[in-house]
C-alpha cells in the first residue's frame, strides 16, 4: 500500500509538472504567433492569439494545431477614403499546419467575423448624415436608416445649397433607407433604395445619390479569407467570411 501511495503521489506530481510546462509553452507560443501574424499580415497592431486544445506540446510535436483563435481590435476600414473603425475582427482557424522549421503556417479552414457600429458608421458617413438601425423589418431586408438635413447633405456632395428662397426646403430633414450588400469579398456597399420625393430642384436627386451611395472597404482579415455575409443588427453592421488553406504565417 505504501508503494502504491508513493506511485500515485509521483504520478500526480509529474502530471502537474507536465500541465504547468504545457501551459507555459502555449503562452509563449501564443505570443510568438501573434508577433508573426502581425508581420505576415501587415497589421498595424499585434492581435490576441489563443491556441486551443490539450496537450499543446503533443500538437507541436506533430507540427499541427487543432484550433487557433485570432482577434484584433481597432482595425480600420475605409469609406470613400474616410477611415471607419471596426469594433473587433475575429478569426477561428482550424487544422493549422506548420512547415518543417515553423516559419509558415496554413489553416485548413477559417471563419472570420467583425462589426462596424452605427456610431462608427456615422463618423465615416458623408457630412450631415447619421446612420442608424432601421428597425427589425427593414434590417431583415439588409437595410439601414440614413437621416440628415438636406442642406448638410448637399454640402457633402459639393453641390450648391441654393438661394435664400429655398431655406425651408433645404433645412428639412430627410430619411433614406440604404441597402447593404457585399461586393468582391471585402467591400460593403451602401446604396439608397429610394430618394425623398417632393423636391423640385433639378439634379438634386443625383447630388444626393453621389453622397449617400458609398463603399466600405474592410481590411484586417487574414488572407485569403473573403467576406460572404453582411447583415444589419441593432448594434451595427455584422460581417462574416470563410476561407480554406488560409495563410496565417509566412
Amino acid at each position: 500500500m505504501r508503494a502504491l501511495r508513493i506511485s500515485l503521489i509521483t504520478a500526480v506530481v509529474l502530471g502537474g509538472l507536465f500541465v504547468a510546462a504545457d501551459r507555459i509553452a502555449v503562452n509563449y507560443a501564443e505570443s510568438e504567433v501573434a508577433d508573426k501574424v502581425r508581420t505576415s499580415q501587415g497589421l498595424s497592431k499585434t492581435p490576441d492569439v489563443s491556441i486551443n486544445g490539450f496537450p499543446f506540446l503533443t500538437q507541436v510535436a506533430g507540427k499541427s494545431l487543432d484550433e487557433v483563435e485570432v482577434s484584433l481590435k481597432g482595425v480600420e476600414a475605409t469609406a470613400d477614403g474616410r477611415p471607419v473603425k471596426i469594433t473587433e475582427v475575429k478569426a477561428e482557424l482550424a487544422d493549422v499546419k506548420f512547415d518543417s522549421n515553423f516559419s509558415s503556417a496554413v489553416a485548413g479552414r477559417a471563419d472570420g467575423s467583425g462589426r462596424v457600429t452605427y456610431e462608427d458608421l456615422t463618423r465615416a458617413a458623408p457630412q450631415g448624415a447619421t446612420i442608424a438601425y432601421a428597425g427589425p423589418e427593414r434590417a431583415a431586408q439588409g437595410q439601414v436608416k440614413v437621416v440628415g438635413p438636406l442642406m448638410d447633405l448637399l454640402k457633402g456632395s459639393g453641390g450648391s445649397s441654393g438661394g435664400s428662397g429655398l431655406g425651408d426646403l433645404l433645412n428639412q430633414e430627410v430619411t433614406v433607407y440604404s441597402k447593404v450588400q457585399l461586393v468582391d469579398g471585402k467591400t460593403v456597399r451602401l446604396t439608397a433604395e429610394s430618394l425623398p420625393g417632393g423636391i423640385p430642384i433639378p439634379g438634386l436627386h443625383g447630388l444626393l445619390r453621389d453622397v449617400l451611395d458609398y463603399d466600405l472597404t474592410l481590411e484586417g482579415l487574414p488572407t485569403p479569407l473573403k467576406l460572404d455575409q453582411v447583415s444589419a443588427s441593432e448594434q451595427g453592421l455584422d460581417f462574416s467570411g470563410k476561407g480554406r488553406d488560409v495563410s496565417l504565417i509566412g
Side-chain angles (χ1 to χ4, degrees):
M1 288 296 295
R2 184 171 180 273
L4 177 60
R5 188 181 302 114
I6 292 174
S7 297
L8 289 175
I9 293 173
T10 301
V12 169
V13 171
L14 291 177
L17 291 174
F18 174 79
V19 171
D22 192 81
R23 294 303 88 191
I24 292 172
V26 76
N27 289 337
Y28 174 78
E30 287 171 345
S31 177
E32 289 294 302
V33 170
D35 287 338
K36 290 185 177 181
V37 168
R38 175 182 178 178
T39 301
S40 178
Q41 299 292 330
L43 303 177
S44 59
K45 298 181 179 179
T46 302
D48 292 326
V49 173
S50 296
I51 299 174
N52 300 327
F54 178 84
F56 166 70
L57 292 174
T58 58
Q59 294 183 71
V60 171
K63 295 183 174 58
S64 176
L65 300 177
D66 296 335
E67 185 178 296
V68 178
E69 295 181 4
V70 179
S71 63
L72 183 64
K73 297 180 179 180
V75 177
E76 283 195 350
T78 58
D80 285 352
R82 298 181 296 272
V84 56
K85 178 183 175 183
I86 303 176
T87 302
E88 185 176 25
V89 171
K90 293 183 179 180
E92 296 182 357
L93 310 168
D95 190 24
V96 179
K97 297 188 181 301
F98 293 87
D99 65 0
S100 58
N101 57 4
F102 293 94
S103 61
S104 67
V106 175
R109 303 184 310 279
D111 293 286
S113 63
R115 171 179 291 161
V116 183
T117 66
Y118 290 119
E119 183 179 6
D120 288 320
L121 282 171
T122 296
R123 290 195 182 102
Q127 178 178 334
T130 298
I131 315 296
Y133 180 55
E137 184 175 342
R138 289 188 177 274
Q141 301 174 41
Q143 295 181 357
V144 297
K145 182 168 67 174
V146 184
V147 181
L150 182 57
M151 181 181 293
D152 288 346
L153 294 175
L154 285 176
K155 289 178 181 177
S157 73
S160 171
S161 59
S164 58
L166 299 174
D168 290 342
L169 174 64
L170 294 174
N171 285 325
Q172 70 173 305
E173 187 172 81
V174 297
T175 298
V176 174
Y177 294 97
S178 291
K179 178 73 173 180
V180 178
Q181 58 184 335
L182 281 173
V183 180
D184 71 25
K186 66 174 183 179
T187 299
V188 178
R189 176 164 294 166
L190 280 73
T191 306
E193 290 282 88
S194 61
L195 296 174
I199 302 176
I201 305 174
L204 178 58
H205 279 183
L207 292 175
L208 275 176
R209 189 165 289 282
D210 287 343
V211 173
L212 297 174
D213 295 354
Y214 63 98
D215 292 346
L216 294 171
T217 302
L218 304 175
E219 305 292 349
L221 292 173
T223 55
L225 191 64
K226 299 294 184 183
L227 300 180
D228 56 24
Q229 184 176 352
V230 63
S231 60
S233 67
E234 292 188 47
Q235 292 74 34
L237 294 183
D238 297 328
F239 60 87
S240 61
K242 296 180 182 296
R244 287 190 174 277
D245 299 326
V246 173
S247 176
L248 181 62
I249 298 173

